[in-house]
């Protein structure tokens, strides 16, 4: 759980940094995408790795949740937790929503089946026009809203997940513990702001379609 | 003071239980929670009813026998207090109080509020000891142990094995108990010899006893009458990882 979670977090951060290229305009984003695709077999290896990570993460999560449910067959009539957080108690739910998002996200931008009309163009350099695909999709408030919502849940998931993984791996200590919850929340918030800034910037007109740029 | 109690009554392990309402009148606020239950039980006996069964022994907070979940919190609302040391003055006159046993598959109810905690004994038997020759013990001061280490080991050794950590955990996990036992021995030079075997055996026994898994909610620390820190869980996770890597080599 912790190992796969940490590696997935690594992807989430790397992916965010790549995505932020959208603020550099169409040429930057499209050439980033072009070079990424240019990695060829390496890219496919990374995708396979990610798929395995997600599957492992989900299998252990399902196992964990089932075992934990079984461990208390008769519930309390009154149960008053005092220390845990909303994020910690909703890990499974936030995880499932993030998973649903991942499926939609892949259909949207990787397999390009949800918006076929705007997803297959080429830019003036002959590169795939990722910029156009992103900006035109996020012009739809439903799509942009869905992305922001999913990122809010990822943020919730990570605000517990990050600190939790330090404890699970035994990297926590008396000195780190008081700071860790704060660091975890801050990191989750930064990831949320980073990712959500893209659909929001498009929706609010800060990032415009290439045709409207000049 | 007068109170309304809702108490879990269950004849034995195989029968279904339910919450039963009792009125506890004229309770002295200086009584401990268990003394209050004694009064309620005496009145039940006078009426020819079956008294409420609950576990207790020392009544001074050191044995770990008492084990009541009060209003959804193991050992009740006060931090760092066993229920035998909890006094009625912490409750309001007329308050409704819900009293339930520890809830965990690993701790089956024997009767009413009494649960079987042999799962803890089996965990201890699998590694919660140091192997030494019996006979005359050497002078304790011949083995030098730094004050910091001794203090830390003592913090872990404060565990009275009551099981409140399991009862409080949303997953009914026994990690804090096992971590306290593993750490207190692993910190001492006498315990270090067997430290890897100990952590592997104790964690595996725990896993086989139907406890849940730790997902780091830290309810255990909040409920622990000895306020044992979840830092020991991180320490045990670290030791378990090392030991299982070394085992494979
Ligand atoms: C981008 C995707 C994801 C990332 C970066 C991520 C990250 C993490 C991290 C760091 C942890 C903590 C590990 C630990 O404490 O040992 C975790 C736990 C967990 N994750 Fe994820 N996760 C992701 C997706 C998912 C998905 C899709 C699901 C569900 C289907 C899921 C379900 C869970 C569950 C149930 C836990 C354990 C919860 C607990 O501690 O109570 N996660 N995740
Ligand atoms: S009865 Fe011994 S600790 Fe409460």
């Amino acid at each position: 759980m912790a190992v796969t979670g940490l590696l997935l977090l690594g992807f989430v951060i790397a992916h965010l940094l790549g995505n932020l290229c959208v603020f550099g305009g169409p040429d930057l984003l499209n050439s980033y995408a072009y070079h990424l695709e240019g990695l060829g077999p390496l890219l496919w290896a990374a995708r396979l790795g990610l798929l395995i990570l997600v599957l492992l993460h989900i299998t252990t999560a399902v196992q964990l949740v089932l075992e934990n449910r079984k461990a208390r067959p008769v519930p309390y009539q009154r149960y008053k937790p005092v220390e845990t957080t909303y994020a910690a108690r909703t890990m499974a739910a936030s995880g499932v929503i993030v998973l649903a998002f991942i499926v939609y996200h892949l259909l949207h931008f990787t397999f390009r089946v949800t918006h076929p009309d705007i997803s297959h163009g080429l830019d003036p350099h002959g590169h795939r026009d990722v910029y156009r695909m992103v900006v035109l999709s996020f012009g739809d408030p439903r799509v942009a809203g869905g992305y922001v919502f999913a990122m809010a849940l990822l943020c919730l998931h990570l605000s517990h997940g990050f600190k939790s993984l330090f404890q699970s791996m035994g990297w926590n200590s008396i000195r780190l513990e008081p700071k860790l919850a704060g660091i975890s929340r801050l990191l989750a918030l930064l990831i949320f702001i980073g990712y959500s800034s893209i659909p929001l910037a498009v929706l609010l007109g800060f990032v415009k379609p290439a045709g409207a740029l000049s | 003071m007068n109170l309304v109690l809702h108490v879990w009554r269950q004849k034995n392990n195989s029968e279904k239980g339910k919450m039963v309402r009792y009125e506890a009148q004229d309770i002295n606020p200086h009584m401990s929670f268990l003394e209050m239950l004694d009064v309620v039980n005496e009145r039940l006996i006078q009426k020819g009813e079956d008294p409420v069964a609950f576990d207790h022994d020392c009544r001074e907070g050191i044995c770990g026998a008492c084990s009541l979940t009060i209003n959804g919190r193991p050992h009740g609302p006060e931090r760092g207090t066993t229920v035998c040391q909890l006094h009625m003055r912490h409750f309001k006159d007329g308050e409704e109080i819900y009293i339930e046993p520890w809830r965990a598959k690993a701790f089956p109810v024997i009767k009413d509020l009494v649960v079987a905690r042999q799962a803890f004994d089996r965990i201890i038997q699998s590694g919660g000891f140091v192997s030494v020759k019996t006979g005359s013990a050497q002078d304790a001061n011949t083995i030098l142990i730094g004050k910091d280490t001794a203090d830390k080991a003592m913090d872990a050794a404060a565990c009275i094995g009551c099981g409140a950590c399991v009862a409080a955990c949303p997953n009914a996990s026994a990690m804090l108990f096992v971590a306290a036992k593993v750490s207190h021995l692993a910190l001492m030079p006498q315990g270090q010899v067997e430290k890897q075997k100990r952590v592997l055996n104790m964690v595996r026994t725990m896993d086989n006893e139907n406890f849940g898994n730790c997902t780091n909610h830290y309810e255990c620390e909040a409920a622990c009458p000895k306020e044992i820190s979840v830092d020991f869980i991180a320490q045990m996770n670290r030791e378990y990882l090392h030991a299982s890597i070394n085992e494979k080599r």
Side-chain angles (χ1 to χ4, degrees):
Chain A
M1 197 90 275
V3 176
T4 52
L6 181 61
L7 293 172
L8 286 171
L9 174 65
F11 162 76
V12 165
I13 292 173
H15 188 47
L16 170 61
L17 296 179
N19 291 354
L20 290 177
C21 287
V22 74
F23 291 110
D27 286 351
L28 185 64
L29 186 70
N30 291 348
S31 83
Y32 161 68
Y34 177 74
H35 286 108
L36 206 58
E37 300 235 321
L39 294 175
L42 217 58
L43 180 67
W44 279 106
R47 282 173 172 167
L48 185 68
L50 276 173
L51 182 66
I52 293 171
L53 279 181
V54 170
L55 290 179
L56 279 177
H57 192 76
I58 294 170
T59 343
T60 32
V62 169
Q63 220 174 349
L64 194 68
V65 169
L66 290 182
E67 280 181 15
N68 289 350
R69 291 239 172 99
K70 269 205 306 217
R72 178 165 293 136
V74 183
Y76 285 107
Q77 312 264 325
R78 287 287 138 98
Y79 178 61
K80 220 172 101 195
V82 287
E83 200 62 42
T84 182
T85 57
Y86 183 74
R89 274 178 293 138
T90 53
M91 285 300 272
S94 57
V96 167
I97 297 174
V98 169
L99 177 65
F101 163 76
I102 293 174
V103 172
Y104 174 77
H105 180 55
L106 290 178
L107 291 176
H108 182 190
F109 285 148
T110 305
F111 300 111
R112 285 171 272 156
V113 296
T114 59
H115 297 72
D117 44 323
I118 53 169
S119 303
H120 295 278
L122 294 179
D123 73 0
H125 306 282
H127 298 160
R128 250 188 67 206
D129 199 349
V130 176
Y131 186 87
R132 175 179 136 90
M133 170 171 82
V134 169
V135 173
L136 291 185
S137 325
F138 287 155
D140 182 344
R142 291 168 307 169
V143 176
Y147 271 76
V148 173
F149 174 71
M151 288 308 109
L153 280 140
L154 179 64
C155 167
L156 196 66
H157 196 83
L158 290 177
S159 72
H160 176 71
F162 186 70
K163 77 171 172 167
S164 180
L165 88 89
F166 274 74
Q167 176 79 357
S168 299
M169 296 301 290
W171 297 333
N172 202 356
S173 70
I174 291 264
R175 267 192 317 182
L176 186 61
E177 169 58 30
K179 291 174 217 143
L180 198 55
I183 297 172
S184 193
R185 269 190 222 126
L186 184 68
L187 178 77
L189 192 67
L190 286 178
I191 288 177
F192 171 69
I193 294 174
Y195 274 109
S196 302
S197 69
I198 300 168
L200 287 178
V202 172
L203 206 59
L204 300 177
F206 294 114
V207 172
K208 296 189 176 70
L213 277 180
S214 42
Chain B
M1 62 199 294
N2 300 322
L3 302 158
V4 177
L5 309 181
H6 300 268
V7 184
W8 182 260
R9 303 300 312 258
Q10 183 173 346
K11 266 215 178 65
N12 53 47
N13 182 243
S14 45
E15 258 168 76
K16 268 187 105 171
K18 61 172 194 300
M19 299 299 278
V20 179
R21 185 176 187 279
Y22 296 100
E23 286 185 13
Q25 261 140 15
D26 297 324
I27 297 297
N28 184 331
H30 300 301
M31 282 177 182
S32 77
F33 201 88
L34 298 189
E35 285 165 337
M36 180 275 291
L37 284 181
D38 291 339
V39 169
V40 170
N41 273 344
E42 268 170 37
R43 292 175 188 163
L44 283 176
I45 291 168
Q46 274 166 11
K47 281 198 285 181
E49 286 179 39
D50 193 22
V52 177
F54 61 89
D55 244 336
H56 62 105
D57 189 17
C58 70
R59 297 210 176 190
E60 52 189 24
I62 55 170
C63 76
C66 55
S67 46
L68 304 178
T69 305
I70 300 165
N71 291 337
R73 295 187 57 186
H75 290 302
E78 291 290 298
R79 278 213 178 214
T81 309
T82 55
V83 58
C84 60
Q85 295 286 294
L86 173 69
H87 290 84
M88 295 315 294
R89 55 177 168 271
H90 295 295
F91 295 87
K92 288 191 292 284
D93 189 32
E95 192 169 338
E96 299 217 9
I97 304 177
Y98 286 76
I99 311 173
E100 295 175 75
W102 285 176
R103 292 287 187 207
K105 187 166 168 65
F107 291 163
V109 172
I110 299 172
K111 185 174 189 329
D112 298 339
L113 302 167
V114 181
V115 296
R117 284 171 281 185
Q118 278 87 345
F120 270 12
D121 299 341
R122 289 188 288 269
I123 293 174
I124 295 292
Q125 281 156 12
S126 72
F129 50 79
V130 291
S131 310
V132 288
K133 284 209 189 89
T134 53
S136 56
Q138 63 174 324
D139 187 76
N141 291 328
T142 55
I143 302 175
L144 296 177
I145 299 167
K147 171 99 172 96
D148 290 351
T149 311
D151 283 352
K152 212 166 169 206
M154 202 57 212
D155 288 345
C159 172
I160 54 177
C162 63
C165 43
V166 176
C169 175
N171 311 325
S173 163
M175 285 287 270
L176 189 61
F177 168 74
V178 181
K181 299 301 175 191
V182 162
S183 303
H184 115 78
L185 294 172
L187 282 162
M188 295 283 105
Q190 298 93 328
Q192 268 157 20
V193 186
E194 294 164 295
K195 107 179 182 183
Q196 303 213 337
K197 203 170 82 187
R198 178 181 308 114
V199 69
L200 293 174
N201 286 345
M202 290 181 80
V203 168
R204 282 169 195 165
T205 311
M206 168 181 77
D207 284 343
N208 290 333
E209 289 286 351
N210 296 317
F211 291 106
N213 309 295
C214 179
T215 51
N216 307 322
H217 294 270
Y218 301 166
E219 287 301 327
C220 50
E221 182 183 300
C224 177
K226 300 298 155 186
E227 301 184 287
I228 293 174
S229 164
V230 291
D231 182 50
F232 290 117
I233 297 183
Q235 213 163 306
M236 177 171 74
N237 286 338
R238 197 153 61 225
E239 300 222 345
Y240 183 80
L241 202 63
H242 286 174
S244 44
I245 291 169
N246 282 341
E247 191 190 30
K248 295 224 173 68
R249 275 213 287 255

